[in-house]
């Protein structure tokens, strides 16, 4: 995270380093830094150089850029976001960071699409991060996770309180739920 300056990803640069979520337009927010770092820490073992990452609801593109740097030139990071304007803006922002060359080389891509379907083209993934809440665990995402891979996804719609879950796909293809955290 220290390599990716948040000022490129927020609309008001002077707020870039506040530890709060910020509106980025089109009903979306960039998550607070503590939330980004928490998700990254949960996924750290699955974002080593060479790994493949799917970032659903990539929004500002901040985490997509960080994932890109973590998995490096031999890895691949796919962002999926449903709002075309945010995708364009996120690509412009990522290009201004040290992750820009990874985008130039096609190691980071961001698509406009419905994240519920994941991104079949780059599957299977070592790691899936979902930045948008889902009522249920989307089956397409489960299918696109490698055996032994990890997914962090907020599941639930209960009164704005989102229980976020961390799932690991075991080698024998069952999906044990790891009760890692709730906030
Ligand atoms: N990690 C992002 C989070 C952005 S907020 C960041 O910190 O910038 C969640 C994002 O998910 C929004 O940009 C929203 O447009 C997107 N989103 C919501 N539902 C989606 C869907 N079905 N498919 C793709 N993107 C979706």
């Amino acid at each position: 995270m220290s390599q990716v300056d948040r000022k490129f990803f927020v609309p008001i640069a002077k707020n870039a380093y506040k530890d709060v979520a910020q509106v980025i337009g089109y009903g979306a927010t960039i998550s607070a830094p503590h939330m980004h770092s928490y998700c990254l820490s949960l996924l750290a073992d699955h974002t080593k150089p060479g790994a493949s990452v799917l970032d659903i609801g990539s929004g500002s593109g901040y985490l997509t850029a960080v994932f890109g740097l973590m998995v490096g030139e031999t890895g691949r990071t796919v962002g999926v976001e449903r709002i075309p304007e945010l995708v364009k803006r996120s690509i412009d922002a990522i290009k201004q960071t040290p992750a820009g060359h990874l985008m130039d080389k096609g190691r980071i891509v961001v698509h406009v699409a419905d994240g519920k379907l994941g991104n079949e083209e780059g599957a299977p993934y070592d790691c899936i991060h979902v930045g948008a809440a889902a009522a249920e665990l989307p089956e397409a995402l489960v299918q696109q996770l490698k055996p032994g891979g990890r997914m962090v996804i907020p599941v639930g719609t209960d009164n704005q309180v989102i229980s976020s879950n961390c799932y690991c796909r075991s080698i024998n293809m069952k999906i044990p739920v790891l009760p890692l955290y709730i906030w």
Side-chain angles (χ1 to χ4, degrees):
M1 281 177 69
S2 61
Q3 291 184 55
V4 182
D5 196 326
R6 295 176 71 85
K7 74 179 180 191
F8 299 121
F9 298 85
V10 298
I12 303 172
K14 75 176 168 62
N15 292 337
Y17 313 113
K18 293 183 177 167
D19 194 16
V20 289
Q22 289 176 51
V23 169
I24 55 173
Y26 309 97
T29 54
I30 176 173
S31 302
H34 74 269
M35 195 63 78
H36 280 163
S37 82
Y38 194 25
C39 289
L40 289 169
S41 68
L42 289 168
L43 294 167
D45 287 345
H46 301 265
T47 47
K48 305 270 191 218
S52 53
V53 180
L54 180 60
D55 183 21
I56 300 289
S58 49
S60 67
Y62 183 83
L63 270 186
T64 316
V66 176
F67 282 132
L69 287 170
M70 290 172 88
V71 303
E73 302 219 356
T74 55
R76 184 169 155 78
T77 302
V78 180
V80 175
E81 166 57 52
R82 68 178 172 185
I83 304 201
E85 291 83 354
L86 290 181
V87 169
K88 182 181 179 316
R89 216 192 277 165
S90 68
I91 290 170
D92 291 345
I94 293 168
K95 284 186 173 168
Q96 296 184 72
T97 72
H101 75 284
L102 295 168
M103 187 153 252
D104 295 338
K105 290 174 182 154
R107 309 313 299 186
I108 298 177
V109 293
V110 186
H111 297 299
V112 181
D114 181 356
K116 284 197 230 43
L117 305 175
N119 181 260
E120 185 63 43
E121 195 188 338
Y125 299 91
D126 293 288
C127 153
I128 300 179
H129 169 262
V130 183
E136 294 171 359
L137 191 58
E139 183 57 24
L141 299 187
V142 172
Q143 294 305 326
Q144 291 174 25
L145 192 60
K146 272 186 194 172
R150 179 171 287 193
M151 170 157 46
V152 169
I153 175 170
V155 177
T157 53
D158 185 17
N159 204 17
Q160 301 283 307
V161 178
I162 297 170
S163 304
S164 290
N165 298 304
C166 188
Y167 296 84
C168 279
R169 186 162 203 189
S170 63
I171 302 297
N172 68 4
M173 308 302 267
K174 289 189 182 149
I175 320 284
V177 176
L178 304 184
L180 285 185
Y181 60 99
I182 290 181
W183 73 79

